[in-house]
């Protein structure tokens, strides 16, 4: 696993830099690291690139190669310069960035962030069969598709994720809102958004109640009659879809799948969501990054954001009564966590977006469909320098979108890494992994060709406003 530095420390350092200005030590470190970035950034010609101190700051010269990599590098430099507030001048295949000391340090920080230097590496590999997470993701997507088809236009039946990640976790006597995230294993920020929307739609009520021994009042979430009816309707519909799958694929195939899934879930050290979900409405990662660094344990606690709940699995707990989508989601979430700990991107993003973008880039229209890239510089993948977009008018959907070096490395590492984790799982979980692959292949007739390789983890949160 690659060495990690807590994201909290990186954020704090950047905030201090903007507030107080760059020190001489920070400038010296930035100059040294910028040289390293130039030497390893595809598309930048290191021998013709460098920085020069001047009386009022610095001038950074970036010379670019030809072709797609040079074009992508030039776009990244322009985007970062604008982001830090520096001025640029371009001619003869090079861009000169004029900046203050603070802008200089921030410029190298972002260019480093877009480079290959802060992500891991894996050997080149090819896949001879569908990766295990793709099979799991398509199975979840298929279940959601069957559920939604049976649900139709009846909005008295909630989305599968709303039931799995909220309604099922509320007790008859009510559940404290801050405990709802732990019961559903979703982040506090997602729980707050979901509870707020469910309250507006009349499915829950929220009561402020004093708790003995604690200051202030706690928010207690209660199911309304409408919410109880919705929860019961979802339970019935899940049972209907499970029975439909059994009839389509046969008892043996479904029993084999449940046994393989249960064998893995029973051995997971922590609880995971019953519908695989991102850390926030705009964050597709399962645990929310590395604000809190990994604890190797035992039990091993993954790196996670401060709002993500760590719920240790109780000894002797069983998965016998869990519905199929809950089993599928927990296994996929566990795989995604193991993938993301290698610092080679979020499994969801690499599966559904990065691996589909070649070095020649894609149109903005295609990037928008795959990864929500709008070209305004504010979307997730633009802000995180996963991609750079050609300038132009907003309505011009033909503008090209290119991966940055770190995203190309994430894309290229995917085949080896998914195979590596599956092999590691085979050592840890034994025959259950092979049995799971076999069982998923046996129900492949349920998978539509249009299903994504990784299920939509955030869309259900946005759809709450219309559901």
């Amino acid at each position: 696993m690659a060495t990690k530095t807590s994201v909290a420390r990186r954020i704090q350092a950047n905030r201090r830099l903007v507030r107080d200005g760059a020190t001489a030590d920070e400038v010296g470190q930035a100059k040294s690291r910028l040289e390293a970035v130039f030497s390893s950034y595809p598309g930048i010609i290191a021998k013709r690139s460098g920085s020069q101190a001047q009386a009022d700051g610095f001038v950074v010269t970036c010379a670019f190669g030809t072709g797609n990599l040079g074009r992508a590098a030039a776009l990244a430099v322009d985007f970062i310069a604008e982001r830090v507030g520096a001025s640029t001048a371009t001619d003869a295949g090079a861009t000169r960035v004029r900046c203050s000391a603070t802008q200089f340090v921030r410029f190298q920080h972002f260019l480093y962030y877009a480079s290959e230097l802060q992500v891991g590496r894996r050997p080149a590999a090819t896949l001879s069969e569908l990766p295990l997470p793709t099979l799991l993701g398509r199975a979840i997507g298929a279940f959601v598709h069957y559920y939604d088809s049976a649900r139709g236009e009846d909005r008295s039946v909630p989305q599968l994720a709303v039931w799995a990640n909220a309604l099922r976790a509320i007790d008859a006597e009510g559940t404290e809102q801050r405990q709802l995230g732990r019961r559903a294993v979703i982040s506090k920020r997602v729980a707050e958004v979901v509870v707020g929307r469910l309250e507006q739609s009349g499915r829950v009520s929220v009561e402020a109640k004093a708790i003995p021994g604690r200051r202030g009042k706690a928010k207690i979430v209660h199911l309304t009659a409408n919410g109880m009816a919705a929860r019961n309707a979802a339970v019935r519909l899940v049972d209907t879809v499970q029975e439909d799958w059994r009839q389509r694929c046969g008892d043996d195939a479904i029993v084999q799948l449940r046994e393989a899934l249960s064998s893995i879930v029973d051995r997971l050290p922590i609880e995971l969501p019953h519908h695989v979900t991102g850390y926030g409405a705009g964050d597709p990662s399962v645990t929310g990054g590395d604000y809190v660094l990994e604890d190797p344990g035992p039990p091993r606690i993954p790196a996670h954001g401060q709002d993500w709940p760590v719920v240790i699995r109780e000894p002797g707990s069983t998965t016998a009564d869990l519905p199929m989508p809950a089993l599928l989601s927990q296994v996929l979430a566990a795989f995604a966590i193991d993938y993301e700990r290698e610092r080679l991107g979020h499994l969801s993003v690499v599966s559904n977006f990065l691996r589909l973008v070649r070095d020649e880039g894609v149109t903005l229209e295609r990037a928008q469909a795959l990864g929500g890239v709008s070209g305004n510089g504010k979307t997730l993948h633009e802000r995180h320098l996963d991609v750079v977009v050609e300038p132009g008018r907003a309505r011009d959907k033909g503008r090209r979108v290119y991966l940055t070096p770190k995203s190309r490395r994430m894309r290229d590492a995917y085949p080896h890494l998914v195979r590596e984790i599956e092999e590691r799982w085979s050592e840890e979980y034994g025959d259950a992994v092979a049995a799971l692959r076999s069982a998923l292949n046996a129900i492949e007739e349920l998978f539509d060709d249009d299903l994504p390789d990784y299920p939509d983890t955030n869309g259900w949160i946005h759809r709450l406003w219309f559901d």
Side-chain angles (χ1 to χ4, degrees), residues 226-428:
N226 184 2
M228 183 67 74
R231 184 170 73 176
N232 293 339
V235 171
R236 291 192 296 270
L237 192 51
V238 168
D239 288 342
T240 296
V241 176
Q242 290 184 136
E243 179 58 29
D244 182 47
W245 276 27
R246 189 181 302 277
Q247 292 180 7
R248 288 173 181 268
C249 300
D251 287 344
D252 291 344
I254 299 302
V255 168
Q256 181 186 1
L257 178 57
R258 282 194 62 91
E259 288 179 347
L261 290 166
S262 296
S263 180
I264 294 173
V265 174
D266 283 339
R267 296 171 63 182
L268 295 176
I270 59 175
E271 297 285 351
L272 293 169
H274 285 204
H275 186 282
V276 62
T277 290
Y279 181 68
D283 186 343
S285 66
V286 176
T287 63
D290 58 0
Y291 189 94
V292 180
L293 297 182
E294 177 181 313
D295 180 352
R300 177 168 69 87
I301 308 300
H304 57 277
Q306 60 180 336
D307 288 344
W308 194 75
V310 175
V311 184
I312 305 298
R313 189 175 295 277
E314 295 183 3
S317 63
T318 178
T319 58
D321 296 329
L322 290 183
M324 183 70 75
L327 293 172
L328 289 164
S329 290
Q330 290 188 77
V331 175
L332 180 58
F335 198 104
I337 288 171
D338 281 0
Y339 190 100
E340 289 165 11
R341 74 192 292 253
E342 303 298 332
R343 295 182 68 83
L344 280 162
H346 305 312
L347 179 59
S348 59
V349 173
V350 180
S351 297
N352 289 344
F353 180 30
L354 301 186
R355 71 178 189 84
L356 302 177
V357 182
R358 299 293 94 198
D359 287 351
E360 61 271 20
V362 295
T363 63
L364 177 58
E365 184 176 30
R366 177 67 170 155
Q368 196 165 43
L370 293 173
V373 178
S374 69
N376 64 5
K378 298 179 181 180
T379 54
L380 176 72
H381 296 301
E382 293 170 89
R383 288 186 291 106
H384 285 270
L385 290 166
D386 298 326
V387 301
V388 287
V389 185
E390 288 181 336
R393 296 182 178 181
R395 64 174 179 268
D396 181 3
K397 300 301 183 181
R399 295 150 60 192
R400 302 295 291 179
V401 178
Y402 300 92
L403 299 183
T404 58
K406 71 170 180 179
S407 294
R408 289 197 295 271
R409 180 169 286 188
M410 291 173 184
R411 174 198 68 191
D412 296 342
Y414 172 84
H416 189 281
L417 185 51
V418 290
R419 192 173 63 190
E420 174 187 313
I421 295 173
E422 184 170 346
E423 291 172 353
R424 193 188 308 159
W425 273 31
S426 295
E427 296 177 2
E428 184 172 358

Side-chain angles (χ1 to χ4, degrees), residues 198-218:
L198 290 177
E199 184 180 20
Q200 291 181 15
S201 65
R203 284 178 172 167
V204 305
S205 62
V206 181
E207 170 193 12
K209 183 177 181 181
I211 303 295
R214 281 170 47 185
R215 288 185 176 182
K217 293 184 177 182

Side-chain angles (χ1 to χ4, degrees), residues 66-83:
T66 58
N68 295 315
L69 299 186
R71 175 62 171 154
L75 290 170
V77 167
D78 286 345
F79 178 80
I80 294 169
E82 181 179 1
R83 186 169 183 173

